[in-house]
Amino acid sequence: MSEVTLIEKYQNAIAHEKTVLEQCDEIIKLAGERRFKKVILEGFCRDEVVRYSALAVDPGLTQSQRDDAQRMAHAGGLLRRWIRIAEMQRETAMNTIREHEEELRELLHDDVGIAPGEDA
């Protein structure tokens, strides 16, 4: 692979990871807001999930209603998991950006004949 293509590869990868980082930051910021915590994380993901879990085994409901309640109970857990995944993806993206930036610096220094850490 030519150096220009490799440089473009790293630049594109860095741009992609920065987009992932921005998306993850937005999710984490939203999840940290007081109102979101109260309404969604506490109100739905905790309180409503308990209610839906009870409905999912209620013999007074039809099988279809119990199945629907079971799916709703899972939704809260899936949302919490999605937020945790965003937190992990953020860390991965930050590490990948650092690695690619270092590789790009080394490649650019090699291209002009300067060893990394030397001044031009």
Side-chain angles (χ1 to χ4, degrees), residues 19-82:
T19 300
V20 170
L21 186 60
E22 288 172 12
Q23 292 169 343
C24 292
D25 283 342
E26 288 296 315
I27 293 166
I28 293 165
K29 181 179 176 183
L30 178 63
E33 289 181 6
R34 182 185 59 80
R35 198 164 176 198
F36 184 86
K37 283 181 177 180
K38 181 180 178 186
V39 173
I40 303 298
L41 297 179
E42 293 171 10
F44 177 71
C45 293
R46 187 189 65 203
D47 302 338
E48 286 298 304
V49 164
V50 169
R51 188 175 72 82
Y52 284 121
S53 295
L55 291 173
V57 296
D58 186 338
L61 299 177
T62 67
Q63 185 61 48
S64 176
Q65 291 170 322
R66 289 193 306 267
D67 291 345
D68 190 43
Q70 183 68 38
R71 285 189 292 276
M72 290 300 290
H74 286 158
L78 292 172
L79 178 58
R80 284 183 176 272
R81 183 170 181 234
W82 182 64

Side-chain angles (χ1 to χ4, degrees), residues 58-105:
D58 186 338
L61 299 177
T62 67
Q63 185 61 48
S64 176
Q65 291 170 322
R66 289 193 306 267
D67 291 345
D68 190 43
Q70 183 68 38
R71 285 189 292 276
M72 290 300 290
H74 286 158
L78 292 172
L79 178 58
R80 284 183 176 272
R81 183 170 181 234
W82 182 64
I83 293 168
R84 283 193 299 272
I85 287 170
E87 292 167 347
M88 292 183 295
Q89 282 180 320
R90 182 183 188 282
E91 290 300 315
T92 300
M94 288 173 50
N95 291 334
T96 301
I97 290 169
R98 278 193 290 271
E99 291 169 8
H100 286 336
E101 285 176 342
E102 179 59 32
E103 291 164 351
L104 189 56
R105 272 192 298 278

